[in-house]
Amino acid sequence: VFSSPKLRVHIQARQRLNKRNSNHQAMGNKCGSSAPQEPKITVCVQSAQNLPGTDWFPGTDRFLYFGVGADVGGEELFKSQQKKNVVDPVWNEECELPSDTPLKFTVFQADADGKADIIGCATLDLPALGATEFNGELPLEMEGNPSGSVLTLKAKSGDTYPTEQGSEFKVSIDNPKKKALGLEVDNADPAKLFVTGVKKGTTMALFNEEQPENKVDVGCFIMGVTVAEDSSGAASGSQAMEKILKKNPKQIDLVCRRARKFRIALPLSEKGDVGVQLPKRPLGNSLLVTAVKANGAVEAWNAENPDQTVEPWDRIVAVNGKSGKAAELHKLIKAAQKSANVVLTMVRVASEASAGPPRVGTCDLP
């Protein structure tokens, strides 16, 4: 972990200041009064996604970290640990910060010699929002322009963080004329369906236009299907759910979840094996991971990155930033295995973090 002399001096000065404040407060208590305390919030910076600069391989190491400072004045208040050779870093680090001023978060990229460059900045201004807590994403910018990257964090002024919005939502469609639903799905995962397409002009396409907040689109997971006129009631299991979808029922309810996307950077050995087991005849626009092989590149990644492990039933949706049909992805992986490294974009069904009921979207068709 790199620590500049300026930062060390600042930390030591702050420790001395905290000690003096503590002594003054103790004396004030003896006199029946207390010194006013600076209002604080607790911030947990969880991760960053879609950061630029994945071309540091081969032969060099890249370290990602973030710093927090007051937006006005630029005083550095906190510096995170460094994450080595990752693409979408996960920190999950907490710090106590002043609540009455805008906070600037800066993400840095450094090499093994400590030379660092800024690759994104974001500001959290709770006073301007009239808020005391936050849970979500902040867009990262470079020189005032959106970079397409985001910083995920949460902030609290009390004992608990605000509830995260859940990834699960329900879709209810009345389809009296039994028009084509238009959903194209991949049933290779035995527990859930993966949406690979929505045909234009179909029932599902119309629903998506009317209910953009509950859009069932490519990359979405279908966890459950219920049909009112079907005596079997709710269906679980991917093949049973797909069978119902193909019938284009008059009324159908879907339980869906968003996908969680992350990227992994794998250095490859001379054998060049990524180290995952894939279906022999992959379909759709992804590659389903059915198992992680022992002593492979992915297993090594999992050991070094416990917050971003690849697990069975995760899906590969891009190789070195290139997406395509399953057969194309398979070819891209084979080609990448001849090089020293490969970056895989993974998706998995997001966890249902919200404590509240799932969002519901409805659509009545003529």
Side-chain angles (χ1 to χ4, degrees), residues 164 181 247 316:
E164 180 182 355
L181 288 177
K247 293 180 179 179
I316 301 170

Side-chain angles (χ1 to χ4, degrees), residues 208-347:
N208 288 342
E209 291 177 3
E210 295 185 355
Q211 298 282 341
E213 292 184 357
N214 296 299
K215 194 174 183 180
V216 182
D217 208 349
V218 175
C220 179
F221 291 90
I222 298 176
M223 312 299 294
V225 176
T226 303
V227 181
E229 66 265 26
D230 193 334
S231 59
S232 62
S236 59
S238 60
Q239 293 187 3
M241 290 190 289
E242 184 182 26
K243 185 177 180 181
I244 291 177
L245 293 177
K246 288 181 177 180
K247 293 180 179 179
N248 302 316
K250 292 181 179 180
Q251 195 281 330
I252 187 169
D253 296 327
L254 307 177
V255 178
C256 305
R257 285 195 193 177
R258 304 296 181 200
R260 176 197 163 201
K261 182 182 289 188
F262 61 100
R263 294 176 295 171
I264 64 171
L266 300 177
L268 301 177
S269 64
E270 293 181 0
K271 295 181 179 179
D273 187 12
V274 169
V276 293
Q277 186 173 309
L278 304 171
K280 293 181 179 179
R281 296 180 180 178
L283 301 173
N285 52 10
S286 67
L287 294 174
L288 182 69
V289 176
T290 57
V292 175
K293 297 179 181 178
N295 303 317
V298 167
E299 186 182 64
W301 166 271
N302 287 349
E304 293 289 332
N305 300 276
D307 292 320
Q308 285 183 312
T309 58
V310 176
E311 302 170 1
W313 314 122
D314 289 348
R315 292 175 178 270
I316 301 170
V317 295
V319 180
N320 290 332
K322 297 179 181 179
S323 58
K325 296 295 184 181
E328 297 172 18
L329 293 173
H330 207 276
K331 291 179 181 178
L332 287 170
I333 286 182
K334 284 188 175 181
Q337 287 178 161
K338 298 177 182 178
S339 60
N341 61 85
V342 62
V343 175
L344 302 180
T345 303
M346 313 295 301
V347 298

Side-chain angles (χ1 to χ4, degrees), residues 188-201:
D189 183 333
K192 51 191 173 291
L193 293 172
F194 185 64
V195 179
T196 60
V198 178
K199 294 182 179 179
K200 294 182 179 179

Side-chain angles (χ1 to χ4, degrees), residues 98-164:
S99 63
D100 56 356
T101 185
L103 299 171
K104 185 175 182 179
F105 297 81
T106 304
V107 180
F108 296 90
Q109 166 182 278
D111 60 21
D113 295 327
K115 180 181 178 182
D117 297 313
I118 295 174
I119 56 174
C121 298
T123 300
L124 178 64
D125 192 351
L126 291 181
L129 297 173
T132 58
E133 57 184 25
F134 180 84
N135 194 334
E137 295 179 345
L138 294 178
L140 288 165
E141 298 181 346
M142 279 294 293
E143 299 179 350
N145 298 314
S147 66
S149 308
V150 295
L151 191 68
T152 304
L153 58 86
K154 51 188 178 181
K156 64 180 181 180
S157 58
D159 295 331
T160 59
Y161 288 107
T163 303
E164 180 182 355

Side-chain angles (χ1 to χ4, degrees), residues 75-89:
E75 179 187 11
E76 189 172 45
L77 305 173
F78 182 80
K79 184 177 179 181
S80 75
Q81 295 182 352
Q82 298 184 346
K83 297 296 181 177
K84 180 180 177 180
N85 292 346
V86 298
V87 193
D88 296 325

